[in-house]
Amino acid sequence: MRHSLRQLIPSDVFDYVQLTSALNGYANIRGKIGRLIASGEIIRIKKGFYTFPDYLRRAPLNSCMIANMLYGPSYVSCDYALSFYNIIPERVELITSLTLGRPRQFNTPVGNYLYYQHHGMDYSIGIEPYDVNGYGFLIASREKAIYDKALIDKRFTGQEIETYLLDDLRMEEESLQNLNKSVLQELMNAARGKMIPLVKFLLEQ
C-alpha cells in the first residue's frame, strides 16, 4: 500500500482530506489510517496533518513551510529566521514564528514549533515570500527578524542596543550593515515604545 499511496498523493505533506481521498476504496478508512501510522508508513504531524517517512519523501521537509501550515496566520521569525539568514552563529532547532492568534507550541515528530502572539500595525511589515526547493513559505525579512526578536525578548528594554545585539544575541557587526532602509522606515512609522530606539539605531548603521 505504501508505494501506491505515495503515487496517489503527490505532495510530501498532506492533510486528512487528501489522505481519505487516496484511501476511498477501504470500508474502514479511520482504521486504515491508524494502521498506517502504527506501521510508520505515514507520520502524523498533528491531527489531520501528515507526511511520509524519509525514504518516501521526494525532497527534505521544509520546516518553514510546515510552520506556516501548522498554525496560522503566521510567519517564521525571531531566532529561527535570524539563524536562517546567518545573522546569529547558533543553529536553531526550535522553529519560531509570530502569529495573530493565541501563542502555541507544537512538539511533533518532524520538529518543535513555537508561536509568539503579536497584534499591532507593525505585524505585516517585512514579511517575505520565500522558496526553497519548490517549497513556498512566509518568513520575516532580515530587518523584521531582528525587530521581532527584540520585540518579544524581555531582556531588551530599548537601552544599550549595541550591547544587546552584539553581545546578548551574538550578532556579527557586519550583519547590521546593508539592511533594507525602506523596510526599516516602515517599521519606524509603526514602532512604539522600546522599538523606536532600536529601529533608529539600525537605520544609522
Side-chain angles (χ1 to χ4, degrees), residues 94-177:
L94 179 67
I95 300 91
T96 48
S97 299
L98 256 64
T99 179
L100 292 172
R102 292 183 296 176
R104 294 288 303 271
Q105 181 160 0
F106 298 92
N107 299 320
T108 81
V110 294
N112 299 323
Y113 299 80
L114 178 64
Y115 298 81
Y116 298 101
Q117 182 185 46
H118 177 61
H119 295 279
M121 294 173 58
D122 51 358
Y123 177 87
S124 60
I125 299 170
I127 302 175
E128 298 186 345
Y130 213 95
D131 186 281
V132 174
N133 297 324
Y135 287 113
F137 54 89
L138 296 176
I139 188 170
S141 64
R142 293 167 66 236
E143 303 76 22
K144 188 63 179 302
I146 297 169
Y147 181 95
D148 286 344
K149 175 59 181 176
L151 180 69
I152 61 93
D153 193 344
K154 294 180 180 178
R155 294 175 300 173
F156 180 66
T157 63
Q159 300 177 352
E160 299 182 352
I161 297 169
E162 188 169 8
T163 298
Y164 170 73
L165 296 175
L166 301 185
D167 295 343
D168 293 355
L169 299 185
R170 299 182 62 210
M171 292 182 183
E172 294 293 336
E173 193 167 358
E174 292 77 10
S175 67
L176 301 178
Q177 299 171 0

Side-chain angles (χ1 to χ4, degrees), residues 14-157:
F14 48 95
D15 61 21
Y16 183 76
V17 173
Q18 292 170 289
L19 182 56
T20 55
S21 176
L23 298 174
N24 63 6
Y26 288 87
N28 183 358
I29 292 178
R30 286 182 179 272
K32 180 59 179 176
I33 292 173
R35 291 191 295 275
L36 288 170
I37 294 171
S39 67
E41 295 174 73
I42 62 173
I43 297 169
R44 181 181 180 271
I45 299 174
K46 62 171 284 192
K47 185 177 180 180
F49 193 31
Y50 310 89
T51 186
F52 290 107
D54 286 342
Y55 66 93
L56 287 178
R57 292 178 197 145
R58 293 175 176 149
L61 284 182
N62 186 289
S63 296
C64 294
M65 181 202 71
I66 292 176
N68 286 183
M69 295 176 69
L70 265 180
Y71 188 58
S74 68
Y75 64 95
V76 175
S77 190
C78 300
D79 300 79
Y80 195 84
L82 293 173
S83 177
F84 180 87
Y85 293 122
N86 295 314
I87 294 175
I88 58 175
E90 292 82 10
R91 178 178 176 179
V92 176
E93 298 294 337
L94 179 67
I95 300 91
T96 48
S97 299
L98 256 64
T99 179
L100 292 172
R102 292 183 296 176
R104 294 288 303 271
Q105 181 160 0
F106 298 92
N107 299 320
T108 81
V110 294
N112 299 323
Y113 299 80
L114 178 64
Y115 298 81
Y116 298 101
Q117 182 185 46
H118 177 61
H119 295 279
M121 294 173 58
D122 51 358
Y123 177 87
S124 60
I125 299 170
I127 302 175
E128 298 186 345
Y130 213 95
D131 186 281
V132 174
N133 297 324
Y135 287 113
F137 54 89
L138 296 176
I139 188 170
S141 64
R142 293 167 66 236
E143 303 76 22
K144 188 63 179 302
I146 297 169
Y147 181 95
D148 286 344
K149 175 59 181 176
L151 180 69
I152 61 93
D153 193 344
K154 294 180 180 178
R155 294 175 300 173
F156 180 66
T157 63

